[in-house]
Amino acid sequence: MNDHYDHYDLVVRAERAITPTGDQGCELGIRDGVIVALEPWGTGLVGSEVLTLAADEILLPGLVDSHVHVNEPGRTEWEGFASATRAAAAGGVTTIIDMPLNSIPPTVTVEALDIKRAVARDQVFIDVGFWGGAVPGNTAQLRPMHDEGVFGFKCFLLHSGVDEFPQLDVDEMETDMNELAAFDSILIVHAEDACAIDAAPAASGDHYEDFLASRPREAENIAIAQVIDRARRTGVRAHILHLSSSDALPMIVAARADGVRLTVETCPHYLTLLAEDIPDGATAFKCCPPIREDANREELWRALLDGVIDCVVSDHSPSTLDLKDLGNGDFGVAWGGVSSLQLGLSLMWTEARERGVSLNRVVEWMSSGPASLVGLPHKGALAVGNDADLAIFAPDEQFVVDATALHHKNPITPYAGKELSGVVRRTYLRGRQVDGAEPFGELLRRRDE
């Protein structure tokens, strides 16, 4: 696994590293930002710089988070490329894919994509790619955005929360699926059925159970069935965003067995939080679809371990404090979104180790899984030929979450005060340490490989 040169820009020596072949000691040889050698611990690779991990540290591939709302331009007070990418790097994330909303303009045309790239270009601390949006009337824009390098297209089957990114009805979704199938792009879907939610009791007040009743599992189940049906007809690649209803798992399994090209993600909040534990008025916990009950969470974990769920991503969807209605704690009024971009690895590792689940599996779900989803074969694993994106992780070190100490722009998170295991001590992007001062991340385009 050596490229026959004996000198590298950087050599990283780790007694423990999570590699595609397991947890093992290794030495990485890095040149021009790429891993060009991966040898057993003790080989003695020579480099201009040598980094030897401490005994309590594990070398991980940088994480890939394919579901992040950066919100810039237009709602930069909610978040922004500088704050989001600093937070990501602090959590061991070296690549994010930005959602096409809640920026203004939304990324639904090539012109809007150009605006977003121009704003992001000089302020990203890690690598950033972009999703396009599928909204009513922009079918003709999909191929041009694809040709400009977006990683796929997002749609909603109900109101998105912002008026400038309207929902598709199911027939419009099928029209766009046919279009995307023609050039093998992917449609990623916020799958909740608008009619089912309209029929449910409206959310209001400070009781979480009332909000939960307003976003029933049935709404997800109906919408996911619709996505499966139309994906089956069109042959498109389809992806279910932020799965929270475990009731949908059997139909997902059956669809895949039938050859439907379907992938699924879930998020740390659905795997670590419980509806039963959410206090009255605690609107930091509000997200859509909602955090559900303990029994539901157990089914999601089972599906994750069985490979039914492909990856775990943040769905980092921040807002300003006032939009969370902290004064009243009204779940019907508050913005729905959880801020967790910086915390995902620690959240998942804390829960996984209590369940006897290995760090290797967590890395699969949060690094190689999302990299595979979006088509970044040079990301997501410690392997020769890949970008030298690295996270140095101390799995046994503990910390208590302080919302004001996070790099997120707005200091609110449902995890405030929670003790977590696992600290990211350093993050490297293409072999260079991310210091939060110099933004040298790159804007990524989809690769046709």
Side-chain angles (χ1 to χ4, degrees):
M1 289 192 287
N2 197 312
D3 72 349
H4 306 299
Y5 291 91
D6 60 0
H7 190 88
Y8 305 95
D9 300 333
L10 173 66
V11 168
V12 181
R13 298 174 179 159
E15 289 189 66
R16 290 187 65 193
I18 304 299
T19 75
T21 55
D23 184 336
Q24 60 190 53
C26 74
E27 298 185 7
L28 300 185
I30 296 163
R31 190 179 299 114
D32 296 327
V34 175
I35 299 170
V36 294
L38 195 162
E39 299 293 339
W41 168 260
T43 298
L45 297 182
V46 177
S48 300
E49 182 183 353
V50 176
L51 171 65
T52 302
L53 271 62
D56 66 337
E57 295 174 340
I58 302 180
L59 183 66
L60 310 181
L63 305 187
V64 177
D65 192 337
S66 56
H67 195 148
V68 178
H69 294 269
V70 177
N71 307 327
E72 188 174 9
R75 291 191 174 92
T76 311
E77 69 276 14
W78 294 17
E79 196 66 272
F81 284 104
S83 57
T85 55
R86 274 197 192 95
V93 177
T94 50
T95 302
I96 63 171
I97 312 296
D98 172 57
M99 283 291 166
L101 72 163
N102 304 303
S103 56
I104 302 173
T107 315
V108 295
T109 64
V110 170
E111 292 73 21
L113 175 64
D114 289 342
I115 289 168
K116 185 170 279 194
R117 282 180 169 151
V119 168
R121 184 162 289 115
D122 296 325
Q123 55 171 333
V124 295
F125 292 91
I126 62 168
D127 287 354
V128 177
F130 300 94
W131 294 109
V135 296
N138 84 326
T139 303
Q141 291 287 336
L142 302 181
R143 182 62 190 255
M145 282 192 283
H146 173 82
D147 291 343
E148 279 297 308
V150 299
F151 285 85
F153 297 89
K154 180 178 188 176
C155 73
F156 279 74
L157 294 179
L158 80 171
H159 193 278
S160 69
V162 292
D163 291 339
E164 68 274 2
F165 197 95
Q167 73 201 61
L168 294 180
D169 66 33
V170 177
D171 290 338
E172 290 172 319
M173 178 179 71
E174 184 174 352
T175 297
D176 285 351
M177 284 178 163
N178 275 311
E179 176 71 4
L180 299 182
F183 45 91
D184 200 31
S185 189
I186 185 170
L187 187 68
I188 63 174
V189 185
H190 183 123
E192 288 182 285
D193 180 69
C195 293
I197 288 177
D198 288 345
S204 65
D206 65 355
H207 295 311
Y208 183 77
E209 58 266 30
D210 293 337
F211 168 63
L212 186 58
S214 76
R215 311 286 294 214
R217 296 188 201 190
E218 178 189 18
E220 273 190 274
N221 304 338
I222 292 169
I224 290 169
Q226 292 169 334
V227 172
I228 289 170
D229 177 55
R230 303 306 171 102
R232 190 191 307 274
R233 289 192 206 178
T234 61
V236 78
R237 289 188 291 142
H239 178 73
I240 303 299
L241 296 165
H242 44 50
L243 179 71
S244 82
S245 171
S246 63
D247 295 348
L249 292 166
M251 73 174 104
I252 291 166
V253 171
R256 284 175 161 175
D258 287 346
V260 177
R261 302 169 73 197
L262 186 70
T263 50
V264 184
E265 70 184 36
T266 193
C267 307
H269 38 279
Y270 302 127
L271 297 166
T272 65
L273 300 173
L274 297 175
E276 293 92 334
D277 295 340
I278 297 175
D280 286 351
T283 51
F285 290 82
K286 180 182 175 180
C287 56
C288 301
I291 295 157
R292 302 193 189 276
E293 304 86 352
D294 185 24
N296 184 83
R297 181 179 72 164
E298 293 308 307
E299 290 298 319
L300 293 179
W301 268 99
R302 188 169 294 112
L304 195 56
L305 291 165
D306 289 345
V308 178
I309 297 173
D310 300 274
C311 53
V312 178
V313 293
S314 69
D315 187 12
H316 179 67
S317 185
S319 72
T320 54
L321 299 184
D322 61 301
L323 290 177
K324 277 294 191 179
D325 195 44
L326 300 177
N328 300 309
D330 187 334
F331 284 100
V333 172
W335 174 258
V338 166
S339 294
S340 64
L341 179 55
Q342 186 171 333
L343 297 172
L345 177 58
S346 301
L347 290 165
M348 284 299 296
W349 172 234
T350 300
E351 186 71 28
R353 76 187 308 185
E354 290 179 3
R355 294 168 176 271
V357 176
S358 73
L359 186 57
N360 300 52
R361 296 301 306 274
V362 174
V363 169
E364 287 175 19
W365 299 327
M366 303 188 78
S367 193
S368 57
S372 175
L373 169 71
V374 299
L376 288 172
H378 59 301
K379 303 283 191 185
L382 301 179
V384 170
N386 279 14
D387 288 351
D389 298 346
L390 316 171
I392 297 173
F393 187 59
D396 298 324
E397 185 176 343
Q398 296 184 311
F399 69 103
V400 175
V401 177
D402 175 0
T404 64
L406 300 174
H407 290 284
H408 305 156
K409 186 166 284 187
N410 290 282
I412 180 170
T413 175
Y415 305 104
K418 186 177 177 71
E419 185 175 70
L420 300 178
S421 295
V423 171
V424 175
R425 291 184 177 162
R426 291 184 298 288
T427 299
Y428 287 73
L429 181 69
R430 288 185 296 279
R432 183 175 172 188
Q433 186 171 353
V434 181
D435 62 5
E438 183 181 352
F440 58 88
E442 295 182 358
L443 302 186
L444 303 177
R445 293 171 181 253
R446 189 200 71 263
R447 291 185 178 187
D448 291 319
E449 295 184 289

